[in-house]
mmCIF file of all heavy atoms in Angstrom:
data_model
loop_
_atom_site.group_PDB
_atom_site.id
_atom_site.type_symbol
_atom_site.label_atom_id
_atom_site.label_comp_id
_atom_site.label_asym_id
_atom_site.label_seq_id
_atom_site.Cartn_x
_atom_site.Cartn_y
_atom_site.Cartn_z
ATOM 1 N N THR G 1 151.227 28.105 119.840
ATOM 2 C CA THR G 1 150.857 28.326 118.442
ATOM 3 C C THR G 1 149.444 28.863 118.315
ATOM 4 O O THR G 1 149.184 29.824 117.585
ATOM 5 C CB THR G 1 150.966 27.008 117.647
ATOM 6 O OG1 THR G 1 152.304 26.520 117.721
ATOM 7 C CG2 THR G 1 150.586 27.221 116.186
ATOM 8 N N LEU G 2 148.526 28.260 119.061
ATOM 9 C CA LEU G 2 147.112 28.624 118.969
ATOM 10 C C LEU G 2 146.869 30.067 119.393
ATOM 11 O O LEU G 2 146.137 30.814 118.738
ATOM 12 C CB LEU G 2 146.283 27.668 119.834
ATOM 13 C CG LEU G 2 144.762 27.785 119.764
ATOM 14 C CD1 LEU G 2 144.252 27.420 118.383
ATOM 15 C CD2 LEU G 2 144.118 26.882 120.824
ATOM 16 N N LEU G 3 147.515 30.485 120.489
ATOM 17 C CA LEU G 3 147.276 31.814 121.025
ATOM 18 C C LEU G 3 148.209 32.874 120.430
ATOM 19 O O LEU G 3 147.818 34.035 120.291
ATOM 20 C CB LEU G 3 147.437 31.806 122.549
ATOM 21 C CG LEU G 3 146.445 30.953 123.337
ATOM 22 C CD1 LEU G 3 146.758 31.016 124.828
ATOM 23 C CD2 LEU G 3 145.015 31.402 123.089
ATOM 24 N N GLY G 4 149.430 32.458 120.090
ATOM 25 C CA GLY G 4 150.423 33.445 119.687
ATOM 26 C C GLY G 4 150.595 33.666 118.200
ATOM 27 O O GLY G 4 150.926 34.777 117.774
ATOM 28 N N SER G 5 150.349 32.629 117.386
ATOM 29 C CA SER G 5 150.634 32.751 115.960
ATOM 30 C C SER G 5 149.781 33.791 115.233
ATOM 31 O O SER G 5 150.268 34.384 114.260
ATOM 32 C CB SER G 5 150.507 31.387 115.271
ATOM 33 O OG SER G 5 149.203 30.868 115.404
ATOM 34 N N PRO G 6 148.512 34.052 115.645
ATOM 35 C CA PRO G 6 147.780 35.110 114.940
ATOM 36 C C PRO G 6 148.465 36.474 115.041
ATOM 37 O O PRO G 6 148.418 37.270 114.104
ATOM 38 C CB PRO G 6 146.422 35.126 115.664
ATOM 39 C CG PRO G 6 146.245 33.740 116.158
ATOM 40 C CD PRO G 6 147.628 33.325 116.584
ATOM 41 N N ALA G 7 149.114 36.748 116.166
ATOM 42 C CA ALA G 7 149.807 38.028 116.336
ATOM 43 C C ALA G 7 151.259 37.943 115.887
ATOM 44 O O ALA G 7 151.796 38.898 115.311
ATOM 45 C CB ALA G 7 149.741 38.455 117.801
ATOM 46 N N ILE G 8 151.893 36.785 116.153
ATOM 47 C CA ILE G 8 153.304 36.594 115.776
ATOM 48 C C ILE G 8 153.392 35.312 114.944
ATOM 49 O O ILE G 8 153.525 34.206 115.496
ATOM 50 C CB ILE G 8 154.215 36.488 117.017
ATOM 51 C CG1 ILE G 8 153.985 37.675 117.959
ATOM 52 C CG2 ILE G 8 155.679 36.403 116.604
ATOM 53 C CD1 ILE G 8 154.745 37.577 119.268
ATOM 54 N N PRO G 9 153.275 35.405 113.625
ATOM 55 C CA PRO G 9 153.243 34.209 112.775
ATOM 56 C C PRO G 9 154.417 33.265 112.979
ATOM 57 O O PRO G 9 154.282 32.053 112.794
ATOM 58 C CB PRO G 9 153.248 34.804 111.359
ATOM 59 C CG PRO G 9 152.636 36.163 111.522
ATOM 60 C CD PRO G 9 153.113 36.639 112.863
ATOM 61 N N LEU G 10 155.564 33.793 113.391
ATOM 62 C CA LEU G 10 156.743 32.955 113.584
ATOM 63 C C LEU G 10 156.512 31.890 114.652
ATOM 64 O O LEU G 10 157.143 30.825 114.636
ATOM 65 C CB LEU G 10 157.946 33.823 113.962
ATOM 66 C CG LEU G 10 159.322 33.127 113.974
ATOM 67 C CD1 LEU G 10 159.660 32.610 112.584
ATOM 68 C CD2 LEU G 10 160.396 34.094 114.472
ATOM 69 N N LEU G 11 155.586 32.149 115.582
ATOM 70 C CA LEU G 11 155.294 31.169 116.630
ATOM 71 C C LEU G 11 154.635 29.914 116.071
ATOM 72 O O LEU G 11 154.538 28.905 116.761
ATOM 73 C CB LEU G 11 154.391 31.796 117.699
ATOM 74 C CG LEU G 11 155.039 32.875 118.576
ATOM 75 C CD1 LEU G 11 154.025 33.458 119.550
ATOM 76 C CD2 LEU G 11 156.231 32.291 119.338
ATOM 77 N N GLY G 12 154.189 29.979 114.827
ATOM 78 C CA GLY G 12 153.673 28.776 114.183
ATOM 79 C C GLY G 12 154.719 27.680 114.085
ATOM 80 O O GLY G 12 154.387 26.499 113.956
ATOM 81 N N MET G 13 155.999 28.057 114.199
ATOM 82 C CA MET G 13 157.072 27.065 114.160
ATOM 83 C C MET G 13 157.072 26.170 115.398
ATOM 84 O O MET G 13 157.747 25.132 115.414
ATOM 85 C CB MET G 13 158.427 27.770 114.029
ATOM 86 C CG MET G 13 158.627 28.469 112.697
ATOM 87 S SD MET G 13 160.284 29.170 112.517
ATOM 88 C CE MET G 13 161.275 27.678 112.513
ATOM 89 N N MET G 14 156.302 26.548 116.421
ATOM 90 C CA MET G 14 156.206 25.697 117.605
ATOM 91 C C MET G 14 155.501 24.381 117.296
ATOM 92 O O MET G 14 155.531 23.443 118.104
ATOM 93 C CB MET G 14 155.473 26.429 118.725
ATOM 94 C CG MET G 14 156.197 27.639 119.262
ATOM 95 S SD MET G 14 157.841 27.243 119.923
ATOM 96 C CE MET G 14 157.419 26.275 121.362
ATOM 97 N N MET G 15 154.884 24.291 116.129
ATOM 98 C CA MET G 15 154.284 23.025 115.718
ATOM 99 C C MET G 15 155.354 21.972 115.426
ATOM 100 O O MET G 15 155.073 20.780 115.431
ATOM 101 C CB MET G 15 153.413 23.231 114.484
ATOM 102 C CG MET G 15 152.167 24.081 114.741
ATOM 103 S SD MET G 15 151.049 23.351 115.949
ATOM 104 C CE MET G 15 150.283 22.083 114.932
ATOM 105 N N ILE G 16 156.586 22.420 115.180
ATOM 106 C CA ILE G 16 157.669 21.460 114.944
ATOM 107 C C ILE G 16 158.000 20.684 116.221
ATOM 108 O O ILE G 16 158.011 19.445 116.199
ATOM 109 C CB ILE G 16 158.915 22.178 114.377
ATOM 110 C CG1 ILE G 16 158.606 22.718 112.978
ATOM 111 C CG2 ILE G 16 160.122 21.224 114.338
ATOM 112 C CD1 ILE G 16 159.748 23.519 112.370
ATOM 113 N N PRO G 17 158.270 21.348 117.365
ATOM 114 C CA PRO G 17 158.477 20.562 118.590
ATOM 115 C C PRO G 17 157.233 19.784 119.002
ATOM 116 O O PRO G 17 157.354 18.725 119.624
ATOM 117 C CB PRO G 17 158.864 21.613 119.637
ATOM 118 C CG PRO G 17 158.451 22.920 119.067
ATOM 119 C CD PRO G 17 158.543 22.785 117.589
ATOM 120 N N LYS G 18 156.038 20.274 118.668
ATOM 121 C CA LYS G 18 154.817 19.520 118.956
ATOM 122 C C LYS G 18 154.835 18.190 118.201
ATOM 123 O O LYS G 18 154.534 17.139 118.767
ATOM 124 C CB LYS G 18 153.583 20.322 118.562
ATOM 125 C CG LYS G 18 152.274 19.534 118.628
ATOM 126 C CD LYS G 18 151.122 20.380 118.137
ATOM 127 C CE LYS G 18 149.828 19.569 118.091
ATOM 128 N NZ LYS G 18 149.858 18.530 117.051
ATOM 129 N N THR G 19 155.211 18.247 116.930
ATOM 130 C CA THR G 19 155.282 17.021 116.120
ATOM 131 C C THR G 19 156.330 16.071 116.666
ATOM 132 O O THR G 19 156.104 14.855 116.756
ATOM 133 C CB THR G 19 155.600 17.390 114.659
ATOM 134 O OG1 THR G 19 154.595 18.269 114.158
ATOM 135 C CG2 THR G 19 155.654 16.138 113.784
ATOM 136 N N ILE G 20 157.480 16.608 117.042
ATOM 137 C CA ILE G 20 158.547 15.779 117.612
ATOM 138 C C ILE G 20 158.089 15.142 118.919
ATOM 139 O O ILE G 20 158.410 13.977 119.215
ATOM 140 C CB ILE G 20 159.822 16.622 117.811
ATOM 141 C CG1 ILE G 20 160.372 17.079 116.454
ATOM 142 C CG2 ILE G 20 160.878 15.830 118.578
ATOM 143 C CD1 ILE G 20 161.533 18.048 116.559
ATOM 144 N N ALA G 21 157.318 15.891 119.704
ATOM 145 C CA ALA G 21 156.813 15.357 120.974
ATOM 146 C C ALA G 21 155.938 14.134 120.737
ATOM 147 O O ALA G 21 156.032 13.140 121.470
ATOM 148 C CB ALA G 21 156.026 16.437 121.725
ATOM 149 N N TYR G 22 155.085 14.181 119.725
ATOM 150 C CA TYR G 22 154.241 13.023 119.421
ATOM 151 C C TYR G 22 155.073 11.838 118.950
ATOM 152 O O TYR G 22 154.747 10.683 119.241
ATOM 153 C CB TYR G 22 153.188 13.390 118.381
ATOM 154 C CG TYR G 22 151.967 14.039 118.978
ATOM 155 C CD1 TYR G 22 151.642 15.362 118.692
ATOM 156 C CD2 TYR G 22 151.139 13.342 119.857
ATOM 157 C CE1 TYR G 22 150.538 15.967 119.263
ATOM 158 C CE2 TYR G 22 150.030 13.937 120.426
ATOM 159 C CZ TYR G 22 149.734 15.251 120.133
ATOM 160 O OH TYR G 22 148.635 15.844 120.705
ATOM 161 N N LEU G 23 156.147 12.117 118.225
ATOM 162 C CA LEU G 23 157.039 11.024 117.823
ATOM 163 C C LEU G 23 157.667 10.364 119.044
ATOM 164 O O LEU G 23 157.841 9.135 119.082
ATOM 165 C CB LEU G 23 158.135 11.540 116.885
ATOM 166 C CG LEU G 23 157.750 11.783 115.426
ATOM 167 C CD1 LEU G 23 158.940 12.335 114.654
ATOM 168 C CD2 LEU G 23 157.241 10.495 114.768
ATOM 169 N N LEU G 24 158.014 11.156 120.052
ATOM 170 C CA LEU G 24 158.612 10.596 121.261
ATOM 171 C C LEU G 24 157.582 9.814 122.080
ATOM 172 O O LEU G 24 157.911 8.784 122.679
ATOM 173 C CB LEU G 24 159.233 11.711 122.101
ATOM 174 C CG LEU G 24 160.513 12.299 121.504
ATOM 175 C CD1 LEU G 24 160.906 13.585 122.206
ATOM 176 C CD2 LEU G 24 161.647 11.279 121.589
ATOM 177 N N VAL G 25 156.337 10.277 122.105
ATOM 178 C CA VAL G 25 155.276 9.495 122.740
ATOM 179 C C VAL G 25 155.169 8.147 122.051
ATOM 180 O O VAL G 25 155.098 7.091 122.699
ATOM 181 C CB VAL G 25 153.926 10.236 122.651
ATOM 182 C CG1 VAL G 25 152.788 9.337 123.141
ATOM 183 C CG2 VAL G 25 153.956 11.508 123.489
ATOM 184 N N PHE G 26 155.178 8.162 120.739
ATOM 185 C CA PHE G 26 155.105 6.932 119.951
ATOM 186 C C PHE G 26 156.302 6.032 120.253
ATOM 187 O O PHE G 26 156.166 4.812 120.405
ATOM 188 C CB PHE G 26 155.049 7.292 118.474
ATOM 189 C CG PHE G 26 154.776 6.125 117.565
ATOM 190 C CD1 PHE G 26 154.088 5.005 118.007
ATOM 191 C CD2 PHE G 26 155.193 6.148 116.247
ATOM 192 C CE1 PHE G 26 153.826 3.928 117.170
ATOM 193 C CE2 PHE G 26 154.935 5.086 115.401
ATOM 194 C CZ PHE G 26 154.259 3.981 115.862
ATOM 195 N N TYR G 27 157.479 6.632 120.351
ATOM 196 C CA TYR G 27 158.699 5.862 120.601
ATOM 197 C C TYR G 27 158.618 5.100 121.918
ATOM 198 O O TYR G 27 158.909 3.899 121.979
ATOM 199 C CB TYR G 27 159.901 6.814 120.618
ATOM 200 C CG TYR G 27 161.164 6.188 121.172
ATOM 201 C CD1 TYR G 27 161.918 5.291 120.407
ATOM 202 C CD2 TYR G 27 161.605 6.479 122.467
ATOM 203 C CE1 TYR G 27 163.066 4.716 120.911
ATOM 204 C CE2 TYR G 27 162.753 5.908 122.974
ATOM 205 C CZ TYR G 27 163.480 5.037 122.195
ATOM 206 O OH TYR G 27 164.614 4.448 122.705
ATOM 207 N N TYR G 28 158.205 5.791 122.991
ATOM 208 C CA TYR G 28 158.159 5.133 124.295
ATOM 209 C C TYR G 28 157.077 4.070 124.357
ATOM 210 O O TYR G 28 157.292 2.991 124.932
ATOM 211 C CB TYR G 28 157.971 6.167 125.403
ATOM 212 C CG TYR G 28 159.224 6.970 125.662
ATOM 213 C CD1 TYR G 28 159.249 8.343 125.452
ATOM 214 C CD2 TYR G 28 160.385 6.342 126.101
ATOM 215 C CE1 TYR G 28 160.409 9.068 125.670
ATOM 216 C CE2 TYR G 28 161.542 7.058 126.321
ATOM 217 C CZ TYR G 28 161.548 8.432 126.107
ATOM 218 O OH TYR G 28 162.701 9.147 126.315
ATOM 219 N N MET G 29 155.927 4.343 123.781
ATOM 220 C CA MET G 29 154.860 3.352 123.805
ATOM 221 C C MET G 29 155.216 2.142 122.948
ATOM 222 O O MET G 29 154.894 1.007 123.290
ATOM 223 C CB MET G 29 153.547 3.985 123.318
ATOM 224 C CG MET G 29 153.083 5.148 124.170
ATOM 225 S SD MET G 29 152.905 4.741 125.923
ATOM 226 C CE MET G 29 151.175 4.336 126.009
ATOM 227 N N LYS G 30 155.896 2.386 121.851
ATOM 228 C CA LYS G 30 156.323 1.275 120.992
ATOM 229 C C LYS G 30 157.402 0.450 121.692
ATOM 230 O O LYS G 30 157.319 -0.782 121.753
ATOM 231 C CB LYS G 30 156.871 1.820 119.676
ATOM 232 C CG LYS G 30 157.565 0.751 118.830
ATOM 233 C CD LYS G 30 158.367 1.374 117.707
ATOM 234 C CE LYS G 30 159.245 0.308 117.042
ATOM 235 N NZ LYS G 30 160.090 0.867 115.977
ATOM 236 N N LYS G 31 158.377 1.125 122.244
ATOM 237 C CA LYS G 31 159.525 0.438 122.823
ATOM 238 C C LYS G 31 159.142 -0.441 124.004
ATOM 239 O O LYS G 31 159.631 -1.565 124.133
ATOM 240 C CB LYS G 31 160.568 1.481 123.269
ATOM 241 C CG LYS G 31 161.825 0.868 123.874
ATOM 242 C CD LYS G 31 162.814 1.952 124.241
ATOM 243 C CE LYS G 31 164.071 1.350 124.870
ATOM 244 N NZ LYS G 31 165.053 2.402 125.267
ATOM 245 N N PHE G 32 158.264 0.050 124.847
ATOM 246 C CA PHE G 32 157.968 -0.658 126.086
ATOM 247 C C PHE G 32 156.694 -1.491 126.056
ATOM 248 O O PHE G 32 156.482 -2.317 126.929
ATOM 249 C CB PHE G 32 157.879 0.339 127.254
ATOM 250 C CG PHE G 32 159.201 0.970 127.583
ATOM 251 C CD1 PHE G 32 159.472 2.270 127.213
ATOM 252 C CD2 PHE G 32 160.188 0.261 128.247
ATOM 253 C CE1 PHE G 32 160.693 2.859 127.505
ATOM 254 C CE2 PHE G 32 161.404 0.835 128.551
ATOM 255 C CZ PHE G 32 161.659 2.134 128.176
#
C-alpha cells in the first residue's frame, strides 16, 4: 500500500488484509 498506492490507487485495498492480519494476531494472543 505504502509504495504502490500512489501510482495504483487500487492497491490501497491491501489495507483490508492488513486489518484482518491484526485481528488474527489478536485472536491468537487472546486465545492462548
